[in-house]
Amino acid sequence: MYDFDFANPATLDEAVAALGRGDAQALAGGQTYLPALRQRLAAPDTIVSLKRVEGLSDIEATVDTLRIGAMATHARIARETADRFPALSRLAGNIGDMAVRSRGTLGGSLANNDPSACYPAMALATGATIHTNARDIAAEDFFRGMFETALDDGEIITAVTVPVAQAAHYEKFVQRASRFALVGVFAARYPDGARVAVTGASSGGVFRWTEAEERLSDRFEASALDGLTIAPDDMIEDLHATKPYRAHLVSVMTRRAVEHA
Amino acid sequence: MLDGGIGTATKRREDVRFLMGRGKYTDDHTPAGTCYAAFARSDMAHGRIVSIDAAAAEGMPGVLAVFTGADFADVGSNPAGWLINSRDGTPMYEPKRPVLAHGKVRHVGDAYAAVIAETREQAMDAVEALEVEIEPLDAVVDMAAALADGDNRVHDDLPGNQCFDWGWIEDNREATAAAIEAAPHVTTLELVNNRLVPNAIEPRCSIGEYDPGTGDYKLTTTSQNPHLTRLLISAFVLGIPENKLTVIGPDVGGGFGSKIYHYGEEALVLSAAKRLGRPVKWTATRSEAFLTDAHGRDHVTRIELACETDGTFIAFRTETMANVGAYLSNFSTATPTFLHGTLMAGNYTVPNVYVNVKAVFTNTAPVDAYRGAGRPEATYSLERVIDKCARELGIDPIAIRRKNFIQPDQYPYASAAGLEYDSGNYDALMDVLERRADLAGFEGRRAESERRGKLRGLGINSYIEACGIAPSNLVGQLGSRVGLYDAATVRVNATGNISVMVGAHSHGQGHETAFPQIVADMLGVDPATIEIVHGDTSKIPFGMGTYGSRSLAVCGSAVHRATEKVIVKARKIAAHMMSVSADDVDFADGQFSVPGTNKFVAWGDVALKAYIPHDFPLEEIEPGLEETAFYDPANFTYPSGAYACEVEVDPETGVVDVVSMVAADDFGNVVNPLIVTGQVQGGLAQGIGQALLEQTTYDADGQLLSASYMDYAMPRADDLPTLVVDHSSVTECTHNPLGVKGCGEAGAIGSPPTVVNAVIDALARGGHDVAHIDMPLTPVRVWTALQQA
């Protein structure tokens, strides 16, 4: 990797200030960013670690929501949401391996918005709110395509509020090398209807499958999806899957998500 | 049986240091004053080097030197170890393989310059500061297109990119064609044996040192065979006399073939060390490993099986294109020929075999021997086409194999592919397999899978391989430019403990445990008193290293012979001590005695006496107790096996789950059953990886798309079932003193066709008529095949 300065702020204000100076990059677990640095694919002047920033890791429950600090690790989320929101707990517990789960964070993953990451599907399917140092952003408005988000330069995710579903499940079909989602579907049932979000599949990044939502809002059962398919045109095609295969997997994973919810 | 001797399942003593982080690998060595090399590597697959301006790089902080191809234009070529002649008698095309690319770059990752600096980061920074102009040329990637295109050339003076066009056995060509023509049934299969990236856990690393006082060079490097590396550097590339060059392969974290070969980086660090008068180290990044370690396999094959309608084999004919990549790596010409074509008769009494292999240059990384090396390709082609044939004829896959097996009373058996098998019992292996794999219970398990919506299939395979590489006399006739004996020195020290210097090199094989078991067994001493010395050309006799499942069969035999010599000498000393004739002395359980008397001397007393020879009759007995043996095998060894695997296929997604894998192998005698089981399990994991996961993909521009673990799937523990290994069926090798055959590659040879046969079987039982799917059988490939069936 190239040389860089390392800032280790203790408060959000200090972190914001550090990110405002020169070409700075926030570090929120680093499970994607550190390999990129090691491969010399990034050359920031300063890396601003959010690890010590107070109050960014807490997980708080209200009656019908979870407010999860951006720096909560996958391991911690898996551990601490198991009772309140088992679908989220299982999602977190199946990211990467133990080492990744011990370092990687919810905020880091959302800010990176890898098209194959798991959390974006959860955030979109639960109608989560992403809190930053500057504002609150609805998940609907947050994801802007592959690796693109609504975050401004230097804006820091502080927490995410997740409405707890009546029933939900995340079904991940893993890409066998990276174990990221080749296709991942988060299906959730709320009093006002069903929500289905799909990661890994589309060249536009995470998306809601509204046709599936409509059917499941009437009847949250797998059979409600019978005959429903999604067009392959916008699917990703790469080493690991063709467009038709990914489109097929969206249907299969959605049905399985509902079955297991 | 001596406790701890031959046949004992001793735990590997070296594992203590490896598991506790106390192994010392090449990169753990940093001599005082070390500086660091980084390489400038081509990011295009094919291009003409127009200019390299190093002025800016040379001025960067910490930079000590910059080397380009021009600096090595006059040194020798890194050679191919085997000369292959084409069917028309012309020798293969052997391009120069330079230390650094000069004139052209020929694959992504091809190094054309190197920077030496005080730190690794400074060297990498300076590489980025090189001003380089490379004119892009069209990449040659697809083999068929490479052969058809006379204009687009990997090597400018070779139109058509064909290295050789080899026929085996050429005299059988017409008879085989006639037999196929006349046969009542012919099964044809076209298949790809997928290219693999070796992925040893330890990347390559080399440290060059030069002593200006003595003129001695030292190369510490990730090598499976330090003497072979030294020979290549001394005799072919740099011309450093062997007695001025020490090559050390310390602890090495896996090789699988990829660390057999001499690479340009080794010559570079030696040359740089001499110019700078300082140690120079280079450690590959994982990306460099993906791009530049010699890859494995990469065959495109058409195979025909001709038989009677009852399944009696009449002829096998194979046409293969073998990718050799951009340059000829050291074993690259032997792997698709004599390690592949000679095995194309399999375990069968087929009378006609013919193999044609065209080796093709492409703008990809060099391809060479990888665990199994040619034999997995042979077994895969043969056992897949046999399975397809059985299906076409409606014959049980075990029955068709048993019908054609060579029988125990037929040995030695001259196969139609030119080898003389010395021993084997394939029906006995199949018996073991049927029992261990509970084949009788398969239908019940299949029905249970069906209830869960899964298609269950059973794959059967039998294999033979040629190991114990190799009889020098035979391979010399076949074009090898080296001998393939091995060597050992057994040194009994004065207080009775023993050092055994071996030419074999351990990088996962457990030599430090297994070789002492042989010596201990023969001497009747505690194996803990025996230490193995390996990997350092200044300490060990000239052996050829470890690959081709050869360590035990070849080097172990040398250890045996050297120990026999030690016993002869020790018996003389004991006889002298007891004032009797050596002929009257018995040796057993570590004690020399004279039968019928109460005379005896212990092993330790004889050892001490050898070094305190105050009263020796020096005309009859020299002081010391140390003997060396070179062992050159009379023939290959022929391990064989029968494998079974059960898979569950999810018809909705195409996911294949290997739910059982049983390996019944005949390795001859077994020195350490625990190590053998581990070796087979590792091979099975690699074979399952090839069958289901490992996909090396170059795009049309010659870019390696699967160049990291994000896209290249290695088998992990949760991809694997419990691996059942049984090596209880034994036919001894008839021509080595231990009766051993070798086990290192078996699992990787036997398992890929077993898995693919099982998947095809699962689809067929589910009513899907799919004749073949190419490896790796990824979910998308299986699902797509299902849609098309």
Side-chain angles (χ1 to χ4, degrees), chain B residues 300-329:
Chain B
V300 175
T301 293
R302 181 174 193 272
I303 182 165
E304 293 156 284
L305 183 164
C307 63
E308 306 288 356
T309 50
D310 69 354
T312 302
F313 298 157
I314 298 170
F316 303 149
R317 179 166 62 189
T318 305
E319 289 172 37
T320 288
M321 288 185 293
N323 202 334
V324 290
Y327 303 99
L328 294 179
S329 179

Side-chain angles (χ1 to χ4, degrees), chain B residues 451-650:
Chain B
R451 283 194 288 278
R452 288 183 286 107
K454 298 290 174 63
L455 308 177
R456 196 178 187 106
L458 171 65
I460 297 293
N461 177 48
S462 53
Y463 77 87
I464 185 166
E465 52 168 332
C467 290
I469 290 174
S472 297
N473 178 292
L474 178 57
V475 298
Q477 293 171 39
L478 300 178
S480 173
R481 288 161 165 169
V482 294
L484 288 169
Y485 49 83
D486 218 286
T489 298
V490 175
R491 176 183 297 157
V492 182
N493 298 308
T495 62
N497 60 67
I498 298 166
S499 306
V500 183
M501 281 61 79
V502 293
H505 182 280
S506 190
H507 38 277
Q509 292 83 356
H511 295 174
E512 292 171 37
T513 303
F515 285 154
Q517 291 183 246
I518 299 169
V519 179
D521 200 86
M522 295 174 72
L523 297 181
V525 300
D526 181 353
T529 65
I530 303 166
E531 288 289 330
I532 296 299
V533 178
H534 66 102
D536 183 336
T537 60
S538 68
K539 295 179 180 170
I540 61 172
F542 195 117
M544 296 304 283
T546 289
Y547 40 82
S549 305
R550 72 189 302 275
S551 295
L552 184 60
V554 187
C555 190
S557 294
V559 169
H560 187 278
R561 289 271 174 89
T563 306
E564 281 182 334
K565 291 185 184 179
V566 163
I567 293 170
V568 169
K569 172 92 179 271
R571 190 190 302 272
K572 268 194 204 176
I573 296 170
H576 168 71
M577 291 168 75
M578 294 184 285
S579 302
V580 297
S581 158
D583 294 340
D584 296 332
V585 176
D586 263 8
F587 178 55
D589 300 327
Q591 183 164 285
F592 295 89
S593 61
V594 182
T597 75
N598 61 358
K599 290 182 174 183
F600 70 90
V601 284
W603 169 255
D605 296 329
V606 173
L608 192 61
K609 190 74 179 174
Y611 293 93
I612 309 178
H614 291 164
D615 60 353
F616 267 23
L618 295 173
E619 294 301 317
E620 293 163 32
I621 313 176
E622 291 176 10
L625 192 51
E626 170 173 332
E627 298 290 347
T628 294
F630 282 71
Y631 177 82
D632 202 321
N635 190 356
F636 291 99
T637 64
Y638 298 98
S640 57
Y643 286 13
C645 147
E646 291 181 24
V647 299
E648 280 187 345
V649 178
D650 179 348

Side-chain angles (χ1 to χ4, degrees), chain A:
Chain A
M1 59 179 72
Y2 297 107
D3 279 348
F4 53 81
D5 291 328
F6 188 72
N8 203 9
T11 69
L12 195 57
D13 288 345
E14 288 171 23
V16 169
L19 281 170
R21 285 191 288 270
D23 179 14
Q25 169 68 42
L27 188 69
Q31 297 306 291
T32 297
Y33 195 63
L34 290 181
L37 281 178
R38 286 179 58 86
Q39 289 190 277
R40 297 190 152 205
L41 298 174
D45 296 332
T46 307
I47 286 183
V48 181
S49 172
L50 302 180
K51 192 174 166 64
R52 281 182 59 229
V53 175
E54 270 178 40
L56 290 191
S57 304
D58 300 334
I59 300 178
E60 297 160 14
T62 69
V63 176
D64 51 8
T65 68
L66 286 168
R67 184 184 166 98
I68 304 170
M71 288 298 288
T73 61
H74 313 324
R76 184 166 173 189
I77 294 170
R79 208 165 48 238
E80 297 187 16
T81 66
D83 293 338
R84 282 301 311 284
F85 202 171
L88 170 57
S89 167
R90 271 197 298 271
L91 177 152
N94 282 310
I95 295 173
D97 56 20
M98 198 184 291
V100 168
R101 291 194 292 275
S102 299
R103 302 292 296 193
T105 64
L106 171 62
S109 173
L110 291 176
N112 189 46
N113 190 20
D114 187 300
S116 302
C118 299
Y119 285 128
M122 180 280 295
L124 205 50
T126 59
T129 302
I130 288 101
H131 310 288
T132 78
N133 60 307
R135 56 187 167 145
D136 295 339
I137 309 172
E140 208 70 33
D141 304 321
F142 182 82
F143 302 106
R144 299 275 177 85
M146 290 190 183
F147 300 106
E148 296 287 332
T149 69
L151 291 173
D152 292 329
D153 281 351
E155 190 172 4
I156 298 172
I157 301 177
T158 54
V160 179
T161 296
V162 180
V164 176
Q166 293 170 303
H169 184 77
Y170 176 64
E171 187 75 17
K172 174 162 74 167
F173 188 92
V174 297
Q175 193 256 65
R176 301 293 283 271
S178 68
R179 303 253 172 131
F180 275 63
L182 191 71
V183 169
V185 175
F186 200 105
R189 179 164 60 85
Y190 288 94
D192 58 348
R195 290 171 69 101
V196 174
V198 181
T199 188
S202 167
S203 53
V206 66
F207 69 97
R208 280 175 66 184
W209 190 15
T210 49
E211 291 87 345
E213 290 180 350
E214 283 162 19
R215 292 198 183 193
L216 293 170
S217 293
D218 289 344
R219 186 162 55 92
F220 196 80
E221 290 171 16
S223 61
L225 299 166
D226 284 353
L228 183 65
T229 58
I230 192 164
D233 310 79
D234 293 333
M235 296 290 127
I236 298 169
E237 180 146 312
D238 59 15
L239 275 185
H240 308 286
T242 58
K243 286 169 183 254
Y245 183 58
R246 270 200 172 82
H248 171 72
L249 284 181
V250 172
S251 302
V252 175
M253 294 302 115
T254 303
R255 211 179 60 247
R256 290 183 183 182
V258 173
E259 279 169 0
H260 292 118

Side-chain angles (χ1 to χ4, degrees), chain B residues 344-389:
Chain B
M344 285 308 307
N347 314 46
Y348 309 108
T349 54
V350 60
N352 301 289
V353 173
Y354 178 73
V355 182
N356 175 228
V357 178
K358 294 181 173 70
V360 187
F361 289 105
T362 58
N363 292 119
T364 63
V367 180
D368 207 328
Y370 172 76
R371 201 172 194 171
R375 291 149 291 171
E377 294 90 319
T379 299
Y380 182 68
S381 300
L382 199 50
E383 296 297 321
R384 281 291 302 126
V385 79
I386 289 171
D387 226 59
K388 184 169 184 238
C389 175

Side-chain angles (χ1 to χ4, degrees), chain B residues 405-487:
Chain B
F405 276 161
I406 299 160
Q407 295 302 305
D409 61 1
Q410 290 180 280
Y411 295 98
Y413 183 82
S415 92
L419 294 176
E420 186 177 282
Y421 301 164
D422 64 333
S423 65
N425 189 340
Y426 311 138
D427 278 310
L429 285 165
M430 200 58 94
D431 293 343
V432 170
L433 184 76
E434 292 198 38
R435 183 168 48 81
R436 291 300 303 267
D438 181 26
L439 297 190
F442 172 75
E443 182 49 37
R445 295 189 293 275
R446 192 203 61 75
E448 193 277 327
S449 297
E450 188 175 12
R451 283 194 288 278
R452 288 183 286 107
K454 298 290 174 63
L455 308 177
R456 196 178 187 106
L458 171 65
I460 297 293
N461 177 48
S462 53
Y463 77 87
I464 185 166
E465 52 168 332
C467 290
I469 290 174
S472 297
N473 178 292
L474 178 57
V475 298
Q477 293 171 39
L478 300 178
S480 173
R481 288 161 165 169
V482 294
L484 288 169
Y485 49 83
D486 218 286

